[in-house]
Amino acid sequence: PHLTESYGSSQDPPEKETPSCTVKSFPNAINHTIEWSRKQFENLFIKPAQAVNTYLSEPNYLESSLKYSGSSKEQIEQIVSYLVTDKPLTFEECIIWARLQFERDYNNEIRQLLFSLPKDAVTTSGQPFWSGPKRAPDPLVFNSSDPTHLEYVIAAANLHAFNYGLKGERDAAIFRKVADSVIVPEFMPRSGVQIQVNENEPVAQADDGADEIEDLKLKLPSPSSLAGYRLTPVEFEKDDDTNFHIDFITAASNLRAMNYKIEPASRHTTKQIAGKIIPAIATTTSLVTGLVCLELYKIIDGKNKLEEFRNGFINLALPFFGFSEPIAAAKKKYGSTEWTLWDRFEFANDPTLNDIIAWFKSNHNLEITMVSQGVSMLWSSFVGKKKSEERLPMKFSKLVEHVSRKAIPPHVKQLVVEIMVSDEDGEDVEVPFLVVQI
């Protein structure tokens, strides 16, 4: 502390990303289908519920937020679907939704792809399009006797029910009975659908017709008519085997693999890839723990010179053991004051935002322009006069609860706060985080 840079001061090289067109239309490895299913998990059980809640809680959400989005029609359709047309009242309706979702993702979408790019399609050079890493898919026909088909419906229905606070079910016979009775609408592939063939091509954007958007808006209930109503977004947790998260991702990925004749993966392998689990061997873990404790002894012993500490680099497979002097914490400056990542401004007794702003002005001649805590922007110099008059006199803990709409847990005694400030010349200045005791 106060000597070296932290573990977070340096960054690992970025992971190699799979091109979006490969994940979306041309997977050729199980990693691609797992990545696709992970995105489906977010697109079905996290983002729609968040969008619905934002619509219900933020005034003028459609006008202020969606006008800056390139896919406003798609977003409004999603809110209409989750709040009106496909809003389930019973768990049986969740099963029907899951069965139709299966049809869309593993049959209709594949038929549309093959309509746009038939199996006998050729490139501009006359070569078969479906060759090399590009595998021509086949649509799946739902069969409730197929374990993977049924596992998908069970997991998807339960997660959909979780979004709406409905009680789930695990009896396979119930799912089989309902899924087999669903009347699936006839699907006709559409002409003119553009498929992104390589990552250098622009992603095809849907035509957001103004009239269609207005028609969709008319279908939405006003937020005031659903005061207090909220959906519950799923929070991905890979280590709970009862929450259907890994069950859904495994089934969704393996169904996608069946489409493209890719070898399916076990639940364990899927969990490892989807959860980005890095395998660790006990011998390495214990050695690292020992090296950390050696450095901790130095701190307890009162050592305070940089050269007395060590960074360790080890590889038991070689074996290799290397030690070096750590890098000093980078120094930054505001005015004539130097600081490092270890420094903090501390405020006691749950001050108001006004108190904090005045303290910075009088003690450092710095003007606060923005205050944020966690993911919540608490105040900024460009918010309206009414919001400023409401928030500036608030005790800090009350302000955080007011903006985040969440109670601060009883065990939390302090809040880490980030601020943006400018000096007397109007130039932005970087300063340490604030720690506010509440």
Side-chain angles (χ1 to χ4, degrees), residues 54-65 223 387 405:
T54 307
Y55 166 72
L56 293 175
S57 61
E58 287 190 13
N60 304 318
Y61 167 66
L62 296 180
E63 288 73 18
S64 60
S65 299
K387 280 188 178 178
R405 293 187 173 90

Side-chain angles (χ1 to χ4, degrees), residues 335-346:
S336 58
T337 305
E338 283 191 340
W339 62 281
T340 71
L341 62 91
W342 298 100
D343 293 305
R344 298 287 186 271
F345 290 112
E346 295 205 16

Side-chain angles (χ1 to χ4, degrees), residues 305-323:
K305 293 179 181 177
L306 190 68
E307 58 268 20
E308 293 176 319
F309 294 89
R310 287 290 178 271
N311 279 344
F313 304 90
I314 57 172
N315 186 325
L316 292 181
L318 294 177
F320 171 78
F321 300 83
F323 296 91

Side-chain angles (χ1 to χ4, degrees), residues 146-327:
D146 187 306
T148 309
H149 292 208
L150 196 62
E151 284 163 12
Y152 174 88
V153 173
I154 291 172
N158 276 283
L159 289 169
H160 196 56
F162 177 87
N163 284 151
Y164 291 90
L166 298 173
K167 188 175 183 297
E169 180 60 69
R170 291 178 180 272
D171 186 350
I174 294 174
F175 289 90
R176 194 174 283 113
K177 179 183 176 184
V178 175
D180 284 341
S181 66
V182 173
I183 299 172
V184 179
E186 184 64 33
F187 174 75
M188 291 294 292
R190 292 172 290 124
S191 299
V193 175
Q194 290 184 310
I195 307 294
Q196 186 189 22
V197 173
N198 62 63
E199 60 180 321
N200 297 322
E201 288 185 357
V203 178
Q205 296 288 338
D207 180 25
D208 290 355
D211 292 341
E212 290 181 68
I213 289 176
E214 289 305 314
D215 289 342
L216 285 168
K217 284 182 180 179
L218 293 175
K219 295 179 182 178
L220 285 170
S222 66
S224 58
S225 68
L226 292 168
Y229 181 80
R230 295 291 184 273
L231 299 190
T232 307
V234 173
E235 291 184 17
F236 178 63
E237 173 51 66
K238 67 182 184 299
D239 295 321
D240 182 350
D241 290 338
T242 66
N243 62 13
F244 297 102
H245 296 189
I246 295 297
D247 296 322
F248 173 84
I249 291 171
T250 302
S253 168
N254 286 340
L255 289 171
R256 182 84 165 165
M258 290 177 192
N259 280 138
Y260 286 87
K261 302 176 189 64
I262 298 168
E263 185 68 29
S266 67
R267 188 182 191 280
H268 176 76
T269 301
T270 304
K271 177 178 177 179
Q272 195 171 34
I273 296 172
K276 296 184 178 178
I277 299 170
I278 300 172
I281 298 172
T283 48
T284 307
T285 306
S286 59
L287 178 52
V288 170
T289 305
L291 292 173
V292 169
C293 287
L294 285 176
E295 299 305 303
L296 184 59
Y297 290 151
K298 296 174 186 178
I299 295 173
I300 295 169
D301 196 33
K303 297 189 185 302
N304 55 13
K305 293 179 181 177
L306 190 68
E307 58 268 20
E308 293 176 319
F309 294 89
R310 287 290 178 271
N311 279 344
F313 304 90
I314 57 172
N315 186 325
L316 292 181
L318 294 177
F320 171 78
F321 300 83
F323 296 91
S324 68
E325 191 175 295
I327 299 172

